[in-house]
Amino acid sequence: MATTTCQVVGLLLALLGLAGCIAATGMDMWSTQDLYDNPVTSVFQYEGLWRSCVQQSSGFTECRPYFTILGLPAMLQAVRALMIVGIVLGVIGILVSIFALKCIRIGSMDDSAKAKMTLTSGIMFIISGICAIIGVSVFANMLVTNFWMSTANMYSGMGGMVQTVQTRYTFGAALFVGWVAGGLTLIGGVMMCIACRGLTPDESK
């Protein structure tokens, strides 16, 4: 019973994490315009992995996809790849873990085969969660670096006496969604690996 519970909890956590990873990958607010020095502005800009958007003060929002691939920064392409790999591994892990559930019987499949499938899905979930966390962290690091470089450039003119107007970007909501989703997927994978021990026959332990 404890093994089945561990499997189900791990599967549910991985499902939530996978849904969060898909949502974060599709969200447009990976980076948002920093309004600290200019809280009153007529436009608000934010960017995602696939397009950039501008929101007018009237409420009208215009989004423009990135029509180029080779012209994009290498870091952005790497983040895209990590998120997509994490989602693909998560989907495959979900399919494998469903058939590995102890409460589901398929033909003459024994517990040893289910244990291997459970371990496989757990490893896939762990790798998927790590990919999501690394992808979001790389993007966040890129934002922090660009933020401080932009801040230095803003006050560099005339020995700091003249402040130049420059758009700075800070963390968007998608980053926090991605971090939480990656953590849930990672925990789900650990739970599946723990459940694997309960399915392993005594002779093979």
Side-chain angles (χ1 to χ4, degrees):
M1 184 65 181
T3 301
T4 304
T5 303
C6 197
Q7 278 185 312
V8 172
V9 171
L11 177 59
L12 291 177
L13 287 175
L15 272 172
L16 287 174
L18 178 61
C21 288
I22 295 174
T25 304
M27 289 174 67
D28 294 326
M29 286 195 174
W30 277 69
S31 60
T32 60
Q33 182 180 353
D34 181 47
L35 301 178
Y36 179 76
D37 291 329
N38 188 20
V40 180
T41 179
S42 59
V43 294
F44 177 69
Q45 303 177 26
Y46 53 93
E47 298 178 347
L49 296 181
W50 313 101
R51 59 182 185 173
S52 60
C53 300
V54 176
Q55 183 178 0
Q56 307 288 341
S57 57
S58 59
F60 176 75
T61 302
E62 180 183 2
C63 293
R64 179 172 296 181
Y66 303 135
F67 294 106
T68 179
I69 295 179
L70 298 179
L72 293 175
M75 284 293 187
L76 181 60
Q77 298 188 41
V79 173
R80 280 183 175 182
L82 284 169
M83 297 303 292
I84 292 174
V85 168
I87 290 172
V88 171
L89 286 175
V91 170
I92 297 174
I94 292 292
L95 296 176
V96 174
S97 62
I98 290 175
F99 292 108
L101 290 175
K102 191 175 182 180
C103 56
I104 296 179
R105 289 293 175 184
I106 302 176
S108 58
M109 184 181 297
D110 56 359
D111 287 345
S112 177
K114 283 184 174 290
K116 294 177 182 178
M117 293 176 67
T118 301
L119 180 61
T120 301
S121 64
I123 294 174
M124 285 185 173
F125 290 150
I126 291 174
I127 298 176
S128 173
I130 291 175
C131 284
I133 293 173
I134 291 177
V136 175
S137 299
V138 167
F139 194 92
N141 180 68
M142 185 170 59
L143 275 182
V144 172
T145 303
N146 292 337
F147 182 89
W148 290 115
M149 287 179 63
S150 300
T151 303
N153 292 332
M154 285 174 63
Y155 295 97
S156 61
M158 298 295 291
M161 298 298 294
V162 178
Q163 180 177 347
T164 58
V165 178
Q166 190 168 359
T167 303
R168 299 183 303 180
Y169 290 91
T170 185
F171 292 176
L175 295 182
F176 302 101
V177 174
W179 273 317
V180 173
L184 288 176
T185 309
L186 184 63
I187 295 173
V190 173
M191 295 287 289
M192 296 298 285
C193 292
I194 293 174
C196 169
R197 293 184 59 85
L199 289 170
T200 306
D202 294 335
E203 303 84 41
S204 59
K205 284 183 181 178

